Amino acid sequence: MKYKAFHKLSYGLYIIATRLNGENAGYIGNTAFQVTSDPPKIAISCHKKNASADKILQSKIFSLSVLKKESSTSLIGEFGFMSGSEVDKFRNIETKTASTGAPILLDSAVAWFDCNVVSTHDVGSHILIIGEVADSEVISDDEPLTYDYYREKYKMLAPKNAPTYIEKDKLDEEEATAIPENKPENKSKPESKVEKKETNVASSYTCTICGFQYNPEEGDPTMGIQPGTPFEDLPDDYKCPICNAGKDYFKEN
Ligand code: FE
């Protein structure tokens, strides 16, 4: 089995949310898809350990907000990598209440769906939850965020509870054993020059929590870090722009 084949599947990215006993809960997910047209139903796959899963099962409602292409990294980080028990994920975002009672994200979303749960299926680590769409709306004409763009732009891993999570070691192992013919562009470059350049640049670092890669050549414009800043020169209070982890959680590549 080739794990990288799974990265060829296309997805969007969504904030999936519910409200139970007056409290909002939600997470970021890529696994949401329309499964019937009349009446329209949408399925989501939610990890059993995800606190939101239990709340959706109890409330029997969920909303799906479709994120726009340029969404804030802190929004993605908090909904993707943090628990509602650690932080109030909804404290800084604009929401409105859907007809079912579920919270809908207004900023950073291009459209939303409001759903009533009509059936659930235990599929092992996850629960497949199917909701009938009670209402939906388009918020803006901005381009929606795709999972591929998110992965390419931020060099991100999927959160461990995502249905599409693949251990980094497995992907690295495949990369290491890939045959050279898969990368013909390398053959046209003088290898000695490429190697020399790499030894002169500062190391990149990876966040061990979410997989975000800090590249010194690019800096981190989202956190006000100029291109050309080595990791060692980042301020002590630098935080991962995705999951908010401190510098101690980064590992040199
Ligand atoms: Fe991180």
Side-chain angles (χ1 to χ4, degrees):
M1 182 161 62
K2 278 282 182 196
Y3 291 103
K4 283 201 93 171
F6 291 95
H7 283 177
K8 300 298 182 189
L9 289 168
S10 302
Y11 300 97
L13 273 181
Y14 316 99
I15 298 289
I16 295 158
T18 191
R19 193 197 310 267
L20 180 68
N21 300 329
E23 288 190 4
N24 292 334
Y27 69 99
I28 195 164
N30 64 300
T31 314
F33 49 103
Q34 184 176 357
V35 290
T36 61
S37 63
D38 188 19
K41 295 190 193 105
I42 289 176
I44 57 173
S45 181
C46 195
H47 200 286
K48 289 175 181 173
K49 288 182 181 170
N50 184 337
S52 297
D54 190 47
K55 290 177 178 170
I56 292 172
L57 294 178
Q58 286 188 59
S59 66
K60 298 190 184 307
I61 56 171
F62 67 88
S63 66
L64 189 77
S65 300
V66 182
L67 289 178
K68 66 180 177 187
K69 189 172 183 181
E70 301 297 341
S71 290
S72 91
T73 51
S74 59
L75 177 82
I76 294 171
E78 288 194 2
F79 275 88
F81 293 91
M82 298 183 86
S83 162
S85 60
E86 299 171 66
V87 63
D88 175 9
K89 300 179 182 180
F90 292 85
R91 71 193 184 291
N92 292 327
I93 59 173
E94 191 186 351
T95 60
K96 78 167 192 172
T97 303
S99 61
T100 61
I104 288 165
L105 196 79
L106 293 179
D107 41 5
S108 298
V110 297
W112 55 260
F113 298 87
D114 180 28
C115 305
N116 287 300
V117 174
V118 290
S119 64
T120 62
H121 302 271
D122 189 327
V123 287
S125 56
H126 289 68
I127 300 172
L128 193 66
I129 301 171
I130 298 172
E132 186 171 319
V133 178
D135 198 5
S136 63
E137 188 58 86
V138 174
I139 299 176
S140 88
D141 290 329
D142 288 341
E143 233 180 296
L145 176 60
T146 66
Y147 197 31
D148 192 47
Y149 180 78
Y150 161 81
R151 213 166 30 218
E152 285 303 310
K153 183 178 179 186
Y154 301 117
K155 311 291 181 204
M156 294 284 304
L157 300 174
K160 278 195 171 176
N161 284 353
T164 51
Y165 174 72
I166 302 171
E167 285 175 32
K168 189 172 184 299
D169 288 351
K170 289 178 178 171
L171 287 170
D172 288 347
E173 197 177 318
E174 273 188 6
E175 195 73 30
T177 56
I179 52 173
E181 282 73 14
N182 286 348
K183 297 177 178 176
E185 68 273 16
N186 287 344
K187 287 186 174 177
S188 60
K189 293 180 183 174
E191 287 186 11
S192 57
K193 273 192 177 176
V194 171
E195 282 173 12
K196 191 174 178 186
K197 185 178 176 227
E198 283 178 355
T199 56
N200 285 339
V201 297
S203 301
S204 61
Y205 279 69
T206 299
C207 172
T208 55
I209 304 295
C210 72
F212 167 78
Q213 286 186 33
Y214 177 78
N215 182 342
E217 286 181 32
E218 296 172 5
D220 185 354
T222 62
M223 304 297 271
I225 306 296
Q226 296 297 315
T229 308
F231 184 82
E232 294 77 7
D233 292 350
L234 292 175
D236 290 342
D237 60 355
Y238 174 77
K239 297 267 195 280
C240 170
I242 304 296
C243 71
N244 220 29
K247 281 180 77 178
D248 291 349
Y249 288 92
F250 280 73
K251 193 172 70 179
E252 188 175 4
N253 292 326

